[in-house]
Amino acid sequence: MNNSWLNFSVNRPKTVIIIGFMLIIVTALGAKNLYFRGDYKVFFEDSNPQLMAFEEMQQTFSKNDGASIIIAPKSGNVFTLQTLTLVHEMTEEAKQTPLSNRVDSLTNFQHTWAEDDDMIVEDLVYDLADLDPERFAYIRNVALNEPNLVNQLISPKGDVTVINVSVNLPDGDLTAEVNKITASVKALTDKYKLKYPEHDFYHTGVVLMNYSFASFAERDFTTIVPFMFLTIIVIMWLLLKTAVGTFSTVVVITSSIAATMGIAGWLGMFMSTATVNVPTMVMTLAVADCIHVISTMLYAMRQGKDKKQALIYSLSLNKIPIFITSATTGVGFLTLNFAAVPILADLGNLTAVGVIFACVFSLTILPALIMVLPMKQLPKQLSNSKLGNTERFGEWVIAHHKRILPFTLVLTAIAIGFSFKNELNDVPTAYFDKSTEFRQSTDFQQKHLSGMINLDFSIFTNEDSGINKPQTLQQIEAFSQWLSAQPEIDHVSTITNTFKRLNKNMHGDDPDYYLLPNDRELAAQYLLLYEMSLPYGLDLTNQLDMNKSATRVMTMVKNLGSKELTALESKAQQWFLTNAPNLKLTVASPGLMFAHIGEANMASMLKGTLVALILISCLLVFALKSFKLGVISLLPNLLPAGIGFGIWGIYSGEVNLGLSVVLSMTLGIIVDDTVHFLSKYRHARMAGNDAEQSVRYAFASVGRALWITTLVLATGFSILMLSPFALNSDMGMLTSIIIVVALAVDFLFLPPFLMAFDKKNTKQELIHE
Amino acid sequence: MTCSLGSYAQSAEDKGLAIAKERKLRDSGWGDSTGEMSMILRNAQGDEVERKMRLKSLEITNDGDKALTIFDQPLDVKGTAFLSFSHAIEPDDQWMYLPKLSKVKRIRSRNKSGPFMGSEFAFEDMSSFEIEKYTFKYLRDATFDGQASFVLEQVPTDNDSGYSKQIIWVDKQHYRLLKAEFYDRKDSLLKELVNYEFTLYLDKYWRPMRTEMFNEQNGKSTELVIHQINFNTGLSDNDFNQGTLKNVR
């Protein structure tokens, strides 16, 4: 008995259910060990060059992750008693921010000037009691002419100002710390909004971006993602018209996800921004597997079989294609172990485990549940009374296949051409819809001051006190001027600005001495005098290392994509090769790190998934026992993604971090469509039918399941488009597109292709085999 | 009940103040001293850099001490001198002599919290201990490094201090400062200081030959090593004024 082990589910349903759930529960208990890591390190192997450069910079200089509070008085003038008082008070209270190590503002800027023979170092606005119109004019003049301030802490027009809070984020998962810091900063702003209602406040900075990422992801996860699942369940129920089948499918989906997450917990894995997608990927294939079993069962019941016989029939027909789909998809996901990003390997491994669970459960627990639960007998339907809609559509395709094939080929070629319009690019601030608070804040900041992305350049002399050499200072100054001239850069903070100011101060504030010192010892002694005058938290350790052998030039960059950021880095490295070959430059910042990892991640995902699809087609040569069908399967496996990205090339043209996951999300369903159609087709061919008859049979036996699956999943994923978080909404849209295109390819391209290129009769093929 | 609670609360402050006064008393009357020392700065990565300097100190009755620091290393700040008059209540007076300019520049800064020469020691950590700079509270007894000690809380009275409070361990036998924890203005633990290798001078004055200051928030640290101390070398007020800065050797 070939089907004896499968019949066990039908003959002993309660035993299967009990044993199955015991195993599921034991496995699922591992999920209690799961924890989430949202930090940047999970994206990088320890040897990643961008991570190493960033961490070297973090160790050499003080950290400058931060939160920015942007203050815009409605009067349009920052230099008033009211606004300066607000900034002064708020600056003091911002020092209470958890984990803060530095607060920079207009009022506490360490201003220097000459007085008699002394050099004074003092807060730009030290004593509010001193403020009068003459003093306002003085402060304004200093602020708007100070290169370390303009576009960083004060807008060129003097109408917007910023308080920057630098925080010392620990290594590891930052979620709790980010939440604490954000709550503190927002509470501070709420307080001052009440106290000074004539001002608008905005929040930006890396901490706020991390907070926004986390809170939007969490909000979607608790609202839109459940809504997506609910939509899938409801539509499945409406289309299958069986509550028992739908309920059983939900049980299989839940069990598959629970068991998969349990395995992750038992293996000591953590959840990350990649692996949070595993449940959705597993759900996708579980839905497909279950719909095949149920749809075929219902078909058989309408032919007059009872429930038990119908299930046995369905299992015997579907077990091979379901297994093939799951096994090949699982193998495909395992190829993600070759990705450059460690958490993608986890994603691949977990999803591979998950799709196998879905396969096993849909062939065991699903039929067992259906056997145990009551189900009314369906009205008998004579086989020749009338064709179903799917069968009629199949007839139409068959009748017109000679015209449909060239039409679909041309359409495919055009769409794939458009897919090359896509560029791998990541604009972090663009992940947030314009309706969101964070996006409005970053747009406001960009309009009045600068982008919120910081890009930091470390210059190493590898020489004690090397920074103080006149030649080195000249090179740093030239580089800083070059940076200021780059269109992508809004602001440059450089130590040479400070040296020039000190030199002027030491010569009685003579503007003709606003020059770099031309003597090494003089520079060193200026610096020592200045450093000895600075208060805690406003020292130079964010710009100079202990040894004065290295300096960090800090820039604020427009809110650009990853391509522009990496291009800027390359240009800077080139500048150093040309102009300062004796110095070593490293470029680092969270933004740049993510620019590189975004590109590596996207490239790895796209390449890995394409390799997976090709590998799957190779496996199908053996699974379908037909070299020809295996080769033919390449097309319906590859075309949906190509066409889908072609449509995306027309619609958007930008592929971000979220979209790189789409191919993985849809891989299972693409393979499912192909495998089921081809295996039904081959089943008919082996029975002695010609290509046309076999296509007709495939449409009749699996067509309905395929379009139900497609409609269920495409509608479900389209729910994600409701998210204001582009990571999810773009993913939802493109996933829906590809799922629909996959069905179109299997219904409009594959059948005509088979009829055109698979004309040999079966007996001849058998002889060759 | 109320009376005894009041007594207890009063005794904590009184006891703290009494211990601080005893500590100050035992380190009074030393006159003047000269020393050679190094500061070894370490970052979180373990890189280190050494600064060498000479220190001259003059004890002033009824006010803070006067100190003259002469930098010997790194070489490009060699000969730079830093003169500081500590005050119990008023901001310290500070000057620097820059040999390249042959000028004395006054540092008119109210800050006490800034780092001394880029190290983890703040100016206020380096200036002399004065009772008037703090309010005191006895917390408990404890053993530190095998030594029976008082644990006190001392709160700076100056708003420009970088600290909200310090927790200090003072040994019961000699009233030496063994350890101190410094809390920043957010009430977070910022730094921890530990004194090592106490040596007795003139049969009365204890000096740690090695002090470590560790920054708990960024992982940096500074080790202060005293190579040599001499007491009663004949220094006077004339050795501690702006005019003599130009002639320091």
Side-chain angles (χ1 to χ4, degrees), chain A residues 56 59-60 95-97 99-100 115 117-122 126 168 465 468 506 519-522 524-526 528-529 531-536 539 541 546-548, chain B residues 41-45 47-49 51 71 76-77 80 82 96 98-101 103 105-111 113-117 123 160 185-186 190 217-218 220:
Chain A
E56 179 181 30
Q59 302 286 352
T60 303
K95 293 176 183 176
Q96 301 299 311
T97 305
L99 299 176
S100 66
E115 190 170 291
D117 210 27
D118 292 340
M119 180 183 78
I120 314 301
V121 182
E122 198 168 72
Y126 183 80
N168 195 8
S465 194
N468 291 311
M506 291 301 211
D519 178 271
R520 178 178 190 157
E521 291 175 3
L522 189 62
Q525 291 168 23
Y526 280 173
L528 182 57
L529 175 63
E531 270 195 303
M532 298 283 262
S533 307
L534 296 171
Y536 172 74
D539 56 23
T541 57
M546 306 186 296
N547 220 8
K548 310 299 186 284
Chain B
L41 281 60
R42 296 188 178 94
N43 67 13
Q45 206 149 238
D47 299 333
E48 59 181 53
V49 60
R51 308 257 191 262
F71 300 111
D76 48 15
V77 296
T80 305
F82 175 69
M96 275 189 73
L98 305 183
K100 200 66 195 182
L101 282 180
K103 283 189 176 181
K105 289 291 182 179
R106 180 174 189 144
I107 298 181
R108 256 181 50 183
S109 178
R110 306 168 211 245
N111 106 77
S113 59
F116 181 83
M117 217 182 182
F123 281 102
D160 285 308
R185 286 294 177 185
K186 319 193 282 293
L190 173 59
Q217 292 184 7
N218 61 25
K220 297 183 179 179

Side-chain angles (χ1 to χ4, degrees), chain B residues 96-244:
Chain B
M96 275 189 73
Y97 172 67
L98 305 183
K100 200 66 195 182
L101 282 180
S102 296
K103 283 189 176 181
V104 176
K105 289 291 182 179
R106 180 174 189 144
I107 298 181
R108 256 181 50 183
S109 178
R110 306 168 211 245
N111 106 77
K112 290 181 155 178
S113 59
F116 181 83
M117 217 182 182
S119 74
E120 292 306 313
F121 288 88
F123 281 102
E124 60 186 309
D125 303 333
M126 302 292 284
S127 64
S128 58
F129 173 66
E130 305 298 334
I131 298 292
E132 295 82 356
K133 290 184 177 178
Y134 304 98
T135 59
F136 301 92
K137 184 200 284 184
Y138 167 82
L139 295 179
R140 62 184 183 273
D141 281 2
T143 300
F144 179 77
D145 199 25
Q147 302 174 74
S149 308
F150 303 110
V151 182
L152 269 59
E153 177 188 89
Q154 55 189 37
V155 174
T157 54
D158 188 342
N159 285 333
D160 285 308
S161 170
Y163 308 129
S164 55
K165 72 187 179 192
Q166 299 163 32
I167 308 293
I168 64 173
W169 280 252
V170 177
D171 85 284
K172 292 188 176 185
Q173 185 178 1
H174 303 296
Y175 284 77
R176 302 170 297 189
L177 176 69
L178 301 181
K179 176 183 170 182
E181 291 176 348
F182 301 84
Y183 290 79
D184 65 20
R185 286 294 177 185
K186 319 193 282 293
D187 279 327
S188 306
L189 175 62
L190 173 59
K191 298 190 292 194
E192 184 180 286
L193 173 146
V194 181
N195 283 318
Y196 299 95
E197 300 172 34
F198 280 96
T199 304
L200 187 62
Y201 290 89
L202 307 182
D203 288 326
K204 186 175 181 183
Y205 305 112
W206 291 98
R207 291 287 182 273
M209 293 295 102
R210 206 160 61 79
T211 302
E212 286 201 6
M213 179 73 90
F214 189 80
N215 188 313
E216 295 284 344
Q217 292 184 7
N218 61 25
K220 297 183 179 179
S221 65
T222 298
E223 184 180 2
L224 184 63
V225 180
I226 297 182
H227 304 297
Q228 180 177 273
I229 297 185
N230 294 296
F231 284 87
N232 296 327
T233 60
L235 296 171
S236 70
D237 257 344
N238 285 333
D239 295 297
F240 294 87
N241 62 57
Q242 299 168 53
T244 56

